[in-house]
């Protein structure tokens, strides 16, 4: 936990979006206008996504097919590009160190303006390094205080989250190898050391659009059967050992998380 800066301003909002996704950008620009009308003073900025169709994800050597097979399932080109987009924003946050943090959104988010302003102000005042402001899977969340909750299993989704530089630095250190979806990586508090915190009710809704980044190679995140078929047979014994080590790490991380959140 950290001490929030006094009199912090609304943080800038970075919307991950492909430059070619003109319709989505126009929709987000309309949402940004409504957000300003609701009193939000931070900038809403388009952050150009890593484009798998243009093979931009190949510039990131952190992905290893070997280790991805050992950890579970290889990532598609679109999933690697999605991870790269978030990774680049973590790096920007860590390097620029905005006093009020930043908000990261994907361009399939629908912003509820008044609720968004209230939520972000609460996140800035709170001591948490990273707060998910939307998750795709409902879990048995446990209240920490006020509108903030936690959960041992996480809730998936990178549609929207509040981020401080300290959390960005931890994410960067823990992502020397890209083994999983960005969604799953953020949930893994025992791996990167950032407490899993969710703010509810959510100030966002999911528009239900297919990810333009993930769709670059024809994959969808829900295509679990496809992923299983692409697992290398030779990695099976390594996966079992890897899972055993992961279980031990998770047990230790869970104890640390709940000591931090509940004393």
């Amino acid at each position: 936990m950290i001490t929030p800066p006094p009199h912090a301003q609304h943080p800038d909002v970075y919307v991950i979006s492909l430059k070619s996704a003109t319709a989505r950008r126009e929709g987000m620009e309309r949402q940004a206008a409504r957000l300003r009308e609701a009193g939000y003073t931070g900038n809403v900025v388009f952050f150009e996504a890593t484009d798998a169709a243009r093979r931009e994800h190949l510039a990131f050597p952190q992905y290893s097919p070997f280790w991805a097979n050992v950890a579970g399932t290889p990532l598609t080109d679109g999933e690697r590009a999605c991870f790269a987009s978030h990774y680049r924003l973590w790096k920007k946050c860590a390097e620029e160190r905005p006093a009020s943090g930043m908000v990261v959104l994907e361009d399939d988010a629908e912003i509820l303006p008044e609720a968004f302003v209230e939520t972000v102000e609460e996140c800035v005042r709170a001591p948490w390094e990273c707060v998910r402001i939307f998750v795709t899977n409902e879990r048995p969340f446990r209240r920490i205080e006020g509108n903030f909750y936690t959960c041992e299993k996480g809730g998936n989704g990178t549609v929207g989250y509040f981020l401080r530089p300290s959390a960005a630095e931890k994410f960067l250190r823990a992502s020397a190898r890209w083994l999983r979806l960005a969604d799953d990586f953020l949930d893994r508090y025992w791996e990167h050391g950032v407490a899993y915190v969710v703010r509810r009710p959510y100030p966002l809704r999911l528009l239900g659009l297919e990810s333009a980044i993930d769709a670059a190679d024809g994959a969808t995140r829900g295509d679990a059967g496809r992923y299983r078929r692409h697992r290398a047979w030779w990695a099976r014994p390594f996966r079992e050992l890897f899972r055993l080590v992961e279980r031990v790490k998770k047990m230790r991380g869970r104890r640390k998380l709940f000591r931090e959140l509940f004393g």
Side-chain angles (χ1 to χ4, degrees):
M1 292 188 291
I2 65 172
T3 302
H7 311 299
Q9 301 297 313
H10 290 151
D12 290 343
V13 178
Y14 290 87
V15 181
I16 299 175
S17 175
L18 288 170
K19 191 174 183 178
S20 58
T22 54
R24 293 188 183 209
R25 289 197 171 198
E26 290 170 0
M28 188 56 71
E29 286 171 351
R30 291 191 292 269
Q31 294 195 64
R34 291 193 289 269
L35 192 56
R36 285 190 290 271
E37 291 172 359
Y40 197 82
T41 58
N43 298 312
V44 179
V45 181
F46 286 114
F47 185 80
E48 190 165 344
T50 304
D51 192 344
R54 298 175 61 181
R55 317 302 286 169
E56 292 175 351
H57 61 289
L58 299 179
F60 297 87
Q62 293 91 337
Y63 178 72
S64 165
F66 172 83
W67 283 107
N69 268 291
V70 170
T73 303
L75 300 182
T76 67
D77 290 347
E79 290 163 348
R80 290 168 62 182
C82 181
F83 200 116
S85 299
H86 287 275
Y87 180 89
R88 287 165 50 222
L89 268 175
W90 303 338
K91 190 173 182 180
K92 180 180 180 65
C93 186
E95 291 175 349
E96 297 182 2
R97 308 197 66 80
S100 299
M102 67 167 59
V103 178
V104 178
L105 298 182
E106 294 181 345
D107 65 359
D108 55 351
E110 179 185 358
I111 301 171
L112 308 177
E114 289 78 12
F116 187 88
V117 173
E118 179 183 356
T119 295
V120 173
E121 288 178 350
E122 288 184 8
C123 290
V124 171
R125 291 194 300 267
W128 318 117
E129 295 178 290
C130 181
V131 180
R132 310 287 275 278
I133 58 176
F134 183 88
V135 296
T136 53
N137 295 330
E138 286 298 315
R139 302 290 192 187
F141 291 110
R142 182 176 178 182
R143 187 190 297 273
I144 305 171
E145 60 180 32
N147 293 317
F148 295 100
Y149 296 77
T150 191
C151 179
E152 292 185 13
K153 293 185 177 180
N156 284 113
T158 49
V159 176
Y161 55 95
F162 169 77
L163 179 69
R164 295 189 193 276
S166 58
E169 291 171 345
K170 293 177 182 178
F171 291 157
L172 291 171
R173 285 196 296 269
S175 55
R177 290 197 185 103
W178 298 356
L179 307 180
R180 298 175 179 82
L181 298 173
D183 310 53
D184 296 337
F185 174 79
L186 285 186
D187 285 354
R188 299 173 70 81
Y189 53 85
W190 62 92
E191 188 171 305
H192 47 61
V194 179
Y196 182 84
V197 179
V198 178
R199 196 279 185 186
R200 306 175 74 207
Y202 309 134
L204 305 173
R205 285 197 290 252
L206 193 61
L207 290 173
L209 302 172
E210 183 181 358
S211 170
I213 302 172
D214 289 333
D217 50 13
T220 61
R221 293 186 184 182
D223 192 2
R226 177 180 184 277
Y227 298 155
R228 282 194 295 271
R229 287 195 297 273
H230 280 73
R231 290 178 177 175
W233 62 267
W234 52 261
R236 184 174 298 174
F238 297 102
R239 278 198 295 270
E240 295 305 315
L241 178 60
F242 189 87
R243 287 172 181 170
L244 177 61
V245 174
E246 285 289 286
R247 279 196 289 270
V248 173
K249 289 182 178 178
K250 186 174 182 179
M251 287 173 56
R252 293 176 176 173
R254 183 186 298 128
R255 289 196 294 268
K256 181 179 179 183
L257 170 72
F258 283 88
R259 280 199 305 269
E260 180 179 348
L261 297 184
F262 301 106

